[in-house]
Amino acid sequence: MEEGSEPEAAPIEQAAHERTATLYRENAEWFCRLRWRVAGLFAVIAVAALAPEGWQAPLGLRLSPSFPLAVALILTITNWLYRRRLDGLPRPTPEGAVHRLLWTQIAIDLLVLTAVIHWLGSRLPWTPHTYLFHI
């Protein structure tokens, strides 16, 4: 073996790295699909907030459309960027590249979730439990 060169990985190790990279890519794609749904939900909430306030009173809510619309836009823009990055990665995808993309998605999603929980305040006391979805 030449000095300074990396030893070749055993076939089983190579297969494990390829499977891990594939799994990371599938997870990143799944997160993107889920994020589209969440962005859509916030867009629906923004539109519903424009409706007369009669439906909000029984729920103890007084919603403004600006915050849910902002969340929907942030999620839409970041998800579009994630998809562009993911689609630009070669196949088979390097494990490290997808790993970084996944952690970026998780970190930004948690920041957005923290803002949503802060915005809702005590109106919906169960909302902090939505952190559990990210664990």
Side-chain angles (χ1 to χ4, degrees):
M1 178 160 61
E2 294 179 21
E3 190 173 318
S5 66
E6 298 272 331
E8 283 192 37
I12 190 120
E13 291 173 354
Q14 182 65 29
H17 283 290
E18 289 173 9
R19 179 62 191 137
T20 300
T22 301
L23 183 61
Y24 283 164
R25 186 178 187 103
E26 289 169 0
N27 286 344
E29 290 171 350
W30 183 83
F31 277 139
C32 286
R33 286 191 303 272
L34 179 61
R35 196 173 295 101
W36 285 130
R37 291 181 178 113
V38 174
L41 174 66
F42 276 96
V44 167
I45 292 170
V47 170
L50 292 171
E53 292 184 23
W55 72 271
Q56 294 181 29
L59 298 174
L61 298 175
R62 290 185 55 211
L63 300 177
S64 155
S66 58
F67 187 81
L69 183 61
V71 170
L73 286 173
I74 289 168
L75 291 175
T76 298
I77 291 167
T78 56
N79 209 39
W80 179 77
L81 292 171
Y82 300 147
R83 282 303 320 181
R84 279 184 50 106
R85 175 71 179 127
L86 194 57
D87 292 342
L89 292 175
R91 286 188 185 258
T93 306
E95 183 179 329
V98 179
H99 190 255
R100 285 188 300 277
L101 180 62
L102 275 170
W103 277 107
T104 301
Q105 288 183 19
I106 290 168
I108 292 175
D109 285 352
L110 287 173
L111 288 172
V112 170
L113 180 58
T114 300
V116 168
I117 290 170
H118 177 74
W119 172 69
L120 288 171
S122 62
R123 290 178 255 184
L124 297 173
W126 54 266
T127 54
H129 294 97
T130 55
Y131 281 115
L132 296 175
F133 298 136
H134 285 79
I135 295 176

